[in-house]
Amino acid sequence: MSNSLDIARRTLLAPAGLDETDLDRLLGQILTHRVDYADLYFQYSRHESWSLEEGQVKSGSYNVEQGVGVRAVSGEKTGFAYSDEILLPALSDAATAARAIARSGASAGMPVRQRSGTAPKLYAPLDPLASLEDAAKVKLLETVEAEAKRADPRVTQVMASLSGVQEVILVARSDGGLAADVRPLVRLNVTVIVEANGRRETGSHGGGGRVSYQYFLENDYARTYAREAVRQALVNLDADDAPAGSMQVVLGPGWPGILLHEAIGHGLEGDFNRKGTSAFAGMVGQQVAARGVTVVDDGTLADRRGSLNVDDEGTPTQKTVLIEDGILKGYLQDTLNARLMGVAPTGNGRRESYAHMPLPRMTNTYMLPGIRDPREIIASVEKGLYAVNFGGGQVDITNGKFVFSASEAYLIENGKVTRPVKGATLIGNGPDVLTRVTMVGNDLALDSGVGTCGKDGQSVPVGVGQPTLLIDGLTVGGTQQQ
Amino acid sequence: MTTTSRAKNTTASSEQLNALVGDVLAEAKRQGASSAEASVSVNQGLSVTVRLGEVETVEHNRDKGLALTLFFGKQSGSASTSDLSPAAVRDCVRAAATIARYTAADEFSGLADPDQLAREIPDLDLYYPWNPSVEQAIELSLACEDAARAVDARITNSEGATVYSYESTDVYGNSHGFIGATATTRHGISCAVIGQDDSGMQRDYWYTAARDRADLEAAAAVGKKAAERSVRRLGGRKLSTRQIPVVYEAPVASSLLSHFVGAIRGASLYRRSSFLLDHLGKPVFAPQVRIHEQPFLKKALGSTPFDNDGVAPANRDIVRDGILQGYVLDVYSARKLGLRSTGNAGGVHNLTIQPGDQDLAGLLRQMGTGLLVTELIGFGVNGVTGDYSRGAAGFWVENGVIQYPVEEITIAGNLKDMFRGLVAVGNDVDPSGNIRTGSILIESMTLAGS
């Protein structure tokens, strides 16, 4: 198996007749201005997607994108330009445009190159698109459809999609760093519509990771995901209107960890804290969660959707403790914000593509397990909400208010899960919601690999996870006044 | 069929792009496609952000792309690439052809019927190149942010002010012989600042966008408005759970119309995944409501001479007297439903809800006591059932007068009921969006809070 750096050289540099001395020359061209830091980010990505509806795979698409982003940083200033042509003159133009952020004058010279990315650890540098015959991709989607239809006669529509990406990146930095990564990513999704007695409902499920399409076949996920989507839709078909008001809320394990992503994670990103615009700014060392609550961001989990061998600035990813036993420990950093805050980068510098600037972003964000049996947690609630599946969420970084919307939830009455209720949005305040966590389950689970996070118009794949949690007093935004 | 007129001095002439589309269609034919369509776009621009009086980012944009769909009888495949070299174009066609071999024959697939394609391509006045220098853009951004920071001592921090200018040339052609080009510009100024007092921090923003730089709000006015909006949120309180009327301020009212469009889109209808299935000719809004499309408005951000299928859109009422008059269809979904395309491949064009006579203050007086919503967060809208529950912030209103800011609440209902309970639309219409609405008063929703 080739190493990532060889693949990146072959894919990104060789076709244009470029080698590392050209990269050094380009960086040198930027360093004739007074910049603190500069980098070149080469990217080549191939993406395919197949979609099924009404029993047939009627459409498929294939997309190729390639280019280089050139960045020059001086103090808090960033000059950025990109080119979708990997050719020396275009690169030189981009370097000239980016360096204009700083006055001319010599910067520190370039140190000797430090190469990384020779030994991929977290996922194989494979090409998912080639991991399965096209006919078998179509068959996989047909299996989803057949299983969903078989699962229940009330299923009227099945929509399924299969997508795969291979991304090859190479980062050359003015501090001598040179890193490469070959990143596979696959995803299988299913949405069903069920209909009975004039009522319609929907359910969705999916999963994936930095693996080949074989992942779905080996685990029979086509059928698992189809059944899960149908199950959720049928629960909602019988659901009553959700309650409205503040109540005890039990969140299930896994994907409900989107709570942590919205309520905590974004507010701990380095840029907002360096600028003092986050509700968490200046709170390191303070208690922001109940004792026993520990939250980490970990980009080093094997094969996970949110994982990276190196981030998009070439920094190796790591496991960063955000909250330890209730105390805020630190922030998520890219190079720029780490330097300005005088701390080390945490491997969280990510970008959607060469045409976007890196920002501090999450990878896989989750809470460590506690000691409670989940059944014991539910039994402790006299009247409340048990929410086990969610759609999306959002947060206002500055005032800390966050929401996330349940797609499967039940009432808890006298310690028992009773009737299903229709999706309600939950709203809370990031800096204090975790202080009201009164029980933490022993059942940590990570999500199935479907998360996409948006920030400043840039989307990146992420993961979340948590054990079952009991939160005292979260506002449930249903319609039924209690 | 020919192209719009366009000014000189851009990176790629529409003639070059026309020729490229022609080459792509010829290559598709060579590779055996029975029909094909292709679109090529070239964009460039500049975006500058200043923060706390200093330059933060200077971003130069330059993108191009080709997207194509090939049909082999009733089978189809699509592909796209950012590399427009002849070799890449051939690969792109080959990739689409490969996919088409594995997709199922779909009797509804294919290009628009020739009689549906736009016959004339009117010049809609959408191209006003500006090309500000980096220095000019910085100066304007600084003027915007300085004005924001001067509004109130409680403006303690900033996310910055941004000035951008983009231009784009887009060409669509298909094997029926249709080819059309549009050259468009979009310029804008935006600002987000942070107010702070003992109660904490609040952020808000304002922006202006237009085809023509001359139509932008003044930079200082944008900054001032952003600051006023941030400061007025300070000291937000929670409310207890209750049933109340709600005024959606114009910038968030447009989301209600987006949900409506989502429910009458062809794909939602043929998939039976809409809460407005089978509602054509039936009341969906309160009886005074008129919603119409204006695709040919000069200089407007939502204007277009033809849609993504090459079909001409039309001036038309979608809702009249509260009754649904038509759907939002592209060629494919129209065929699935046994209807004709409404020229909406790619979306609606300057969707407008007829404004009433009152300004926002008048709407608040009409509401009496209730909630003015100025911000919504989250995605709690179920397009299949119409169930609606979103995080909100805004102001508590009594007897038509704003009392205090509120936050950390949700507002919930069902869109069907909310549309039927749409009491009034204000005349405070923001023209710089594809959805044109004033503030909207909804009769009753559930507010959930403490």
Side-chain angles (χ1 to χ4, degrees):
Chain A
M1 190 190 296
S2 308
N3 72 45
S4 301
L5 196 53
D6 289 340
I7 295 174
R9 281 195 190 106
R10 205 160 59 227
T11 310
L12 296 163
L13 303 182
L18 297 173
D19 62 27
E20 283 158 40
T21 54
D22 294 310
L23 308 190
D24 289 348
R25 252 202 308 279
L26 283 163
L27 288 167
Q29 183 189 337
I30 300 172
L31 294 177
T32 59
H33 283 224
R34 294 178 195 279
V35 302
D36 297 318
Y37 175 82
D39 60 12
L40 310 173
Y41 178 85
F42 291 78
Q43 182 196 16
Y44 174 83
S45 76
R46 301 161 63 236
H47 171 266
E48 71 170 357
S49 137
W50 299 84
S51 55
L52 171 144
E53 63 177 20
E54 299 181 317
Q56 293 184 319
V57 175
K58 292 191 271 194
S59 62
S61 66
Y62 175 76
N63 172 271
V64 180
E65 215 183 344
Q66 63 172 23
V68 190
V70 179
R71 181 171 63 143
V73 178
S74 170
E76 298 187 27
K77 298 181 205 168
T78 301
F80 178 64
Y82 59 86
S83 165
D84 51 19
E85 287 170 349
I86 303 184
L87 293 170
L88 204 50
L91 284 171
S92 185
D93 285 352
T96 302
R99 77 179 181 189
I101 195 76
R103 287 177 208 286
S104 57
S107 307
M110 276 226 337
V112 178
R113 286 238 164 269
Q114 306 284 317
R115 288 179 177 77
S116 58
T118 47
K121 328 164 285 243
L122 305 177
Y123 38 84
L126 54 86
D127 175 10
L129 282 64
S131 68
L132 201 60
E133 295 293 323
D134 287 345
K137 295 169 192 168
V138 169
K139 184 146 187 302
L140 186 66
L141 289 171
E142 290 170 349
T143 306
V144 171
E145 147 90 17
E147 182 68 12
K149 281 283 174 65
R150 195 201 57 76
D152 197 284
R154 289 168 288 182
V155 173
T156 57
Q157 288 282 334
V158 182
M159 289 153 274
S161 65
L162 179 71
S163 66
V165 187
Q166 188 196 29
E167 182 182 73
V168 180
I169 67 125
L170 178 101
V171 193
R173 308 161 29 141
S174 62
D175 64 2
L178 181 74
D181 200 9
V182 178
R183 301 165 174 171
L185 189 64
V186 297
R187 181 166 165 174
L188 174 63
N189 260 61
V190 52
T191 296
V192 301
I193 307 283
V194 295
E195 219 169 317
N197 306 321
R199 204 169 142 174
R200 272 183 302 277
E201 266 296 351
T202 180
S204 294
H205 195 63
R210 297 201 178 278
V211 292
S212 78
Y213 288 133
Q214 300 298 330
Y215 172 78
F216 301 119
L217 297 176
E218 286 160 7
N219 298 287
D220 199 16
Y221 280 137
R223 289 186 180 80
T224 312
Y225 294 171
R227 285 194 296 267
E228 175 59 16
V230 172
R231 187 194 64 74
Q232 281 184 35
L234 293 176
V235 166
N236 284 323
L237 208 48
D238 294 328
D240 297 330
D241 289 338
S246 178
M247 62 195 71
Q248 285 195 309
V249 175
V250 176
L251 298 175
W255 179 244
I258 186 173
L259 162 82
L260 305 171
H261 180 97
E262 302 298 349
I264 304 294
H266 277 297
L268 298 181
E269 289 166 343
D271 47 353
F272 301 124
N273 288 284
R274 193 244 314 161
K275 296 174 184 177
T277 60
S278 165
F280 286 96
M283 289 182 75
V284 169
Q286 293 185 32
Q287 183 165 358
V288 296
R291 301 306 297 266
V293 170
T294 295
V295 179
V296 300
D297 182 83
D298 188 351
T300 70
L301 302 172
D303 298 338
R304 282 270 152 196
R305 183 173 165 84
S307 297
L308 297 172
N309 286 315
V310 292
D311 73 4
D312 294 324
E313 299 180 305
T315 308
T317 53
Q318 64 180 45
K319 179 173 176 174
T320 305
V321 177
L322 299 174
I323 295 171
E324 186 170 30
D325 199 16
I327 307 296
L328 181 60
K329 301 306 272 192
Y331 302 122
L332 297 171
Q333 299 289 3
D334 63 353
T335 313
L336 171 80
N337 290 288
R339 183 169 48 76
L340 293 171
M341 290 182 83
V343 297
T346 56
N348 290 89
R350 303 186 64 185
R351 60 203 297 175
E352 181 178 306
S353 79
Y354 67 89
H356 299 86
M357 284 189 282
L359 296 169
R361 303 295 294 265
M362 284 171 262
T363 59
N364 304 295
T365 312
Y366 59 95
M367 184 185 294
L368 300 190
I371 53 166
R372 300 287 189 162
D373 184 323
R375 287 167 297 189
E376 175 193 3
I377 296 176
I378 290 166
S380 76
V381 176
E382 197 172 315
K383 196 165 187 307
L385 189 79
Y386 178 46
V388 294
N389 271 300
F390 285 85
Q394 197 177 352
V395 61
D396 180 327
I397 301 295
T398 301
N399 66 20
K401 305 299 180 269
F402 68 90
V403 298
F404 56 135
S405 298
S407 56
E408 180 185 357
Y410 304 84
L411 291 182
I412 305 176
E413 295 167 300
N414 300 316
K416 291 202 164 55
V417 174
T418 58
R419 290 167 294 148
V421 290
K422 287 201 272 189
T425 287
L426 311 187
I427 188 163
N429 182 38
D432 74 35
V433 65
L434 292 190
T435 62
R436 291 203 303 274
V437 170
T438 53
M439 288 194 208
V440 181
N442 57 13
D443 55 341
L444 168 64
L446 299 175
D447 77 280
S448 58
V450 293
T452 297
C453 169
K455 174 177 171 182
D456 284 4
Q458 296 194 39
S459 294
V460 297
V462 295
V464 297
Q466 68 175 29
T468 297
L469 293 184
L470 172 58
I471 300 175
D472 236 356
L474 199 56
T475 298
V476 178
T479 55
Q480 297 305 298
Q481 282 183 249
Q482 298 300 289
Chain B
M1 277 163 269
T2 53
T3 65
T4 53
S5 61
R6 51 170 293 121
K8 307 142 204 101
N9 123 26
T10 51
T11 48
S13 71
S14 48
E15 287 73 24
Q16 283 172 303
L17 300 187
N18 281 351
L20 178 58
V21 166
D23 292 347
V24 170
L25 296 174
E27 178 64 27
K29 194 172 179 189
R30 204 157 30 240
Q31 295 196 27
S34 50
S35 60
E37 61 183 345
S39 56
V40 177
S41 66
V42 175
N43 315 299
Q44 63 169 0
L46 171 72
S47 163
V48 167
T49 300
V50 303
R51 177 173 173 267
L52 297 176
E54 301 283 343
V55 176
E56 185 170 65
T57 59
V58 175
E59 199 173 335
H60 300 267
N61 301 282
R62 194 178 275 257
D63 300 284
K64 55 187 166 40
L66 159 69
L68 54 87
T69 298
L70 265 50
F71 300 94
F72 292 78
K74 292 294 180 186
Q75 287 172 283
S76 70
S78 301
S80 65
T81 176
S82 61
D83 183 349
L84 305 187
S85 68
V89 167
R90 270 195 307 277
D91 288 349
C92 193
V93 171
R94 193 173 306 122
T98 303
I99 287 168
R101 274 205 289 279
Y102 295 97
T103 55
D106 178 357
E107 59 174 311
F108 303 105
S109 78
L111 301 175
D113 296 332
D115 69 325
Q116 282 200 288
L117 295 166
R119 282 160 208 284
E120 295 168 11
I121 300 180
D123 184 350
L124 300 176
D125 223 7
L126 308 177
Y127 186 69
Y128 285 82
W130 174 15
N131 301 318
S133 68
V134 171
E135 290 70 28
Q136 281 174 310
I138 290 172
E139 199 178 316
L140 211 48
S141 309
L142 287 172
C144 180
E145 197 199 32
D146 287 350
R149 294 170 71 198
V151 163
D152 193 298
R154 290 170 293 175
I155 298 293
T156 56
N157 204 341
S158 171
E159 284 188 359
T162 299
V163 169
Y164 65 85
S165 171
Y166 300 124
E167 62 176 79
S168 171
T169 306
D170 299 86
V171 176
Y172 168 86
N174 65 34
S175 55
H176 285 329
F178 177 88
I179 190 153
T182 52
T184 56
T185 48
R186 184 187 175 97
H187 317 293
I189 305 171
S190 65
C191 183
V193 289
I194 288 165
Q196 186 168 20
D197 67 5
D198 296 343
S199 69
M201 293 192 291
Q202 296 289 347
R203 169 199 181 276
D204 212 327
Y205 72 101
W206 195 247
Y207 75 97
T208 176
R211 298 285 186 199
D212 181 354
R213 177 211 173 175
D215 295 335
L216 294 175
E217 284 177 50
V222 172
K224 183 162 177 277
K225 200 140 180 202
E228 288 165 355
R229 292 179 69 87
S230 298
V231 168
R232 70 177 186 168
R233 294 182 65 175
L234 289 167
R237 307 184 202 168
K238 274 183 91 158
L239 290 172
S240 61
T241 301
R242 60 189 78 178
Q243 204 72 28
I244 38 122
V246 175
V247 169
Y248 283 72
E249 196 189 33
V252 293
S254 59
S255 66
L256 293 174
L257 294 173
S258 299
H259 303 322
F260 168 62
V261 170
I264 59 165
R265 277 174 60 235
S268 306
L269 297 168
Y270 77 71
R271 291 173 183 152
R272 300 184 62 76
S273 61
S274 161
F275 64 92
L276 292 179
L277 271 190
D278 307 321
H279 274 64
L280 205 57
K282 294 181 186 164
V284 292
F285 276 90
Q288 81 284 5
V289 172
R290 178 188 179 215
I291 298 173
H292 58 119
E293 242 192 321
Q294 310 184 78
F296 307 118
L297 280 183
K298 295 276 168 131
K299 290 179 106 173
L301 287 164
S303 295
T304 188
F306 53 89
D307 76 357
N308 294 353
D309 291 329
V311 174
N315 285 310
R316 60 168 184 143
D317 282 0
I318 295 179
V319 172
R320 193 165 50 235
D321 301 330
I323 293 169
L324 186 63
Q325 308 292 321
Y327 295 133
V328 170
L329 307 175
D330 59 8
V331 166
Y332 180 78
S333 63
R335 279 196 194 121
K336 295 279 292 181
L337 295 164
L339 299 168
R340 272 179 81 81
S341 170
T342 55
N344 292 110
V348 292
H349 317 288
N350 302 316
L351 188 81
T352 306
I353 184 164
Q354 188 74 43
D357 303 327
Q358 306 182 85
D359 59 8
L360 177 56
L363 272 193
L364 296 181
R365 279 194 299 276
Q366 186 176 355
M367 174 172 72
T369 294
L371 183 72
L372 166 63
V373 176
T374 58
E375 179 167 291
L376 291 166
I377 59 172
F379 311 98
V381 181
N382 183 332
V384 178
T385 60
D387 290 324
Y388 180 101
S389 169
R390 298 189 69 185
F395 298 87
W396 182 245
V397 177
E398 284 176 15
N399 302 315
V401 180
I402 287 177
Q403 304 294 310
Y404 48 81
V406 296
E407 62 180 11
E408 207 181 329
I409 55 168
T410 61
I411 49 174
N414 185 283
L415 285 167
K416 268 197 246 186
D417 303 330
M418 290 159 64
F419 292 162
R420 297 293 294 274
L422 192 156
V423 178
V425 181
N427 60 13
D428 51 338
V429 180
D430 169 15
S432 73
N434 186 33
I435 292 182
R436 296 171 171 233
T437 179
S439 298
I440 289 179
L441 170 57
I442 303 286
E443 193 171 26
S444 178
M445 295 184 72
T446 305
L447 179 158
S450 50

